[in-house]
Amino acid sequence: MRIKSERDFWSGLMFVAVGVVFAIGATNYSMGPACPPQDACAASLWGRLSQLSAHPGAGYFPLGLSILLALLGAIVLFKSLTIESEGGDRIGAFAWRPLIVIVAAIAVFGAMLEPMGLALTIPVLVVISSLAGDEFRWKGVAANAVVLTIGSWAIFVWGLKLTIPVWPRFVG
């Protein structure tokens, strides 16, 4: 069988591999309460699934997402082998600079969050991440930093009530 789209082939293969690995990892967590043998939910597959949906365990959501990811990968992989693409969709040179900059930005964010707080760490993350692209404009980066900082505070600290430090330790 001939690969008709190299880009789709490798991305589909990656999705399938990541989905399978995470599905295997998710099985180490509880899926939810089991049906007792005398319960009506044990009589049918639909009854068992509805019981799990009502009280999902820690592994229920990751398992579902990883299965969906693997299925999506299988569809993309099938497409790469069946649908002809112009020029075979060759994979170009690997973009090392953006990859390294984004990974570095995430590492700096993880190291800074606890001592420096959300209010300083999000703007630093945005500035470093912006260096990964070819175009850098301070006005856009500053606006993005403000919106993401306020949004992160609103969602995680105010909305979800997570105990994330907002201000640096030296501020109080």
Side-chain angles (χ1 to χ4, degrees):
M1 186 170 281
R2 194 173 74 81
I3 298 173
K4 298 180 179 173
S5 173
E6 190 175 311
R7 187 176 307 159
D8 285 347
F9 177 79
W10 290 108
S11 61
L13 196 61
M14 178 192 66
F15 286 157
V16 168
V18 170
V20 167
V21 167
F22 277 91
I24 291 169
T27 60
N28 293 324
Y29 297 103
S30 169
M31 292 297 146
C35 295
Q38 68 277 11
D39 197 339
C41 77
S44 70
L45 177 62
W46 180 254
R48 279 181 258 148
L49 288 176
S50 64
Q51 176 72 14
L52 282 176
S53 296
H55 304 286
Y60 184 76
F61 188 67
L63 179 66
L65 281 182
S66 57
I67 289 171
L68 285 175
L69 183 64
L71 287 173
L72 175 67
I75 291 168
V76 171
L77 195 58
F78 178 76
K79 177 185 170 265
S80 75
L81 298 172
T82 56
I83 298 174
E84 195 70 43
S85 63
E86 188 176 321
D89 268 345
R90 297 276 181 239
I91 296 177
F94 199 78
W96 287 105
R97 182 175 164 256
L99 176 68
I100 291 169
V101 170
I102 296 298
V103 169
I106 293 168
V108 168
F109 176 82
M112 282 183 62
L113 183 60
E114 189 67 32
M116 300 307 285
L118 199 67
L120 294 178
T121 307
I122 297 280
V124 169
L125 172 73
V126 170
V127 169
I128 294 173
S129 298
S130 298
L131 297 173
D134 295 331
E135 298 177 14
F136 184 90
R137 292 193 172 69
W138 277 109
K139 195 176 186 179
V141 171
N144 194 7
V146 169
V147 169
L148 287 174
T149 302
I150 293 170
S152 295
W153 171 82
I155 291 169
F156 299 112
V157 177
W158 181 71
L160 294 174
K161 307 267 189 272
L162 297 179
T163 55
I164 298 173
V166 176
W167 300 107
R169 284 186 190 155
F170 58 84
V171 172

